[in-house]
Amino acid sequence: MVTDPPVKLTPVSYVVLGLLAQDGPSTPYELKAAVGRSIGNFWSFPHTQLYTEPERLAAAGLVREKQEATGRRRRTFTITAAGRRALQAWLGEPASFSRELRDLGLLKLFFGGLVDPEAVRALAAEQEKAHLRKLEDFEALEREGRTDGDAHRRSVLRMGLLYERAAARFWAEVAAGALPEPDVER
Amino acid sequence: MVTDPPVKLTPVSYVVLGLLAQDGPSTPYELKAAVGRSIGNFWSFPHTQLYTEPERLAAAGLVREKQEATGRRRRTFTITAAGRRALQAWLGEPASFSRELRDLGLLKLFFGGLVDPEAVRALAAEQEKAHLRKLEDFEALEREGRTDGDAHRRSVLRMGLLYERAAARFWAEVAAGALPEPDVER
DNA sequence: CCTATCATGTAATCCGTTACATGATTAT
DNA sequence: ATAATCATGTAACGGATTACATGATAGG
């Protein structure tokens, strides 16, 4: 049994491994589509990574690559037994606490003291609208059942929905209050 | 007027510029502390960036560096007029929609179909607890008023609080339902 | 046929992260 | 004094992003 060179497995690695495990052999383009429909909604990365990452994983023996000999010469990637082991190992260990809310709107709000109140209000209005739009997307997805995947996948979309709902309400408050004094008697 | 080499300004750049603008001249360590107390709660990055990023900004003429001649030889960074202009320009333009929920727990849940239900329940329990803990932190901060900064800074912490609350509830549902069938008659 | 867009990548760059390290300060 | 931890960095690496590019397919 040959030992492949070790690679650091990143979240993207597990996205690829997981999708290959759940959906079966896929081309990068199919991965891209699957991501866009699901994870991409709350954890995005450029499509190029879905071309390069499987390559990395192939070098590590965690996926196998097969390329069409003709036409588009598509590359189809398949998860290997070693890949499944790595994925299961990761899924098995505790996730601990690791979440980032990387929101440029919030970042700007954080520095709201540096601009005039009108600008803050504009920001809040814009953000509220954006989150409402996203919220509607999610609600439509849920309603129409146009979500693919199992219950867990849908569950994740639901968390996205809950977040958008909270965010929209939050920004509405900011837009209304402009300067939200904390619990001053209104 | 000399034109400095252009640099790409990243979110971290604006964090540094913003903190220097709001809190005045600071050392990297002070920046680190300020971040840890506030933004770090929802957008974290390693302390080393708060040493290297001001350097980059200095090279671009957006901040000025002054170093102690003795002792620790601390470096203190001050925002320049050009720096303020860059910051204001960024604050002025629309933030559009850009938010990432990079949560490893959610990622694992997404692939919950690949493990046994018991593992999912364990994940959910663990995550709920973690979010509750964080929630308590935020609530304590809000209650005790130990938050520093102006209303906007506190406002951002409040969004963090809302998120943790939603997340905790979400994970509780997942832990209870294990397999959340969407809107099956309970 | 021509045009749009779909599909599929390569290459270069660089920011973010990890690993490492050491002098100053404070506590015991 | 000594240990602990506070404070302050440097250097290297590589994954993530950006920019660019081109062949296939479908629609008009």
Side-chain angles (χ1 to χ4, degrees), chain B residues 97-117:
Chain B
F97 186 73
S98 102
R99 63 111 187 78
E100 304 276 330
L101 298 188
R102 305 198 166 183
D103 186 317
L104 286 182
L106 278 182
L107 193 52
K108 290 192 179 186
L109 178 62
F110 186 78
F111 295 119
L114 295 170
V115 298
D116 61 294

Side-chain angles (χ1 to χ4, degrees), chain B residues 68-109:
Chain B
E68 291 179 345
T70 106
R72 292 213 163 185
R73 300 183 53 79
R74 288 191 195 85
R75 294 182 296 169
T76 299
F77 294 91
T78 309
I79 190 168
T80 65
R84 278 182 203 282
R85 275 197 302 276
L87 177 60
Q88 290 292 336
W90 176 71
L91 286 172
E93 72 197 22
S96 83
F97 186 73
S98 102
R99 63 111 187 78
E100 304 276 330
L101 298 188
R102 305 198 166 183
D103 186 317
L104 286 182
L106 278 182
L107 193 52
K108 290 192 179 186
L109 178 62

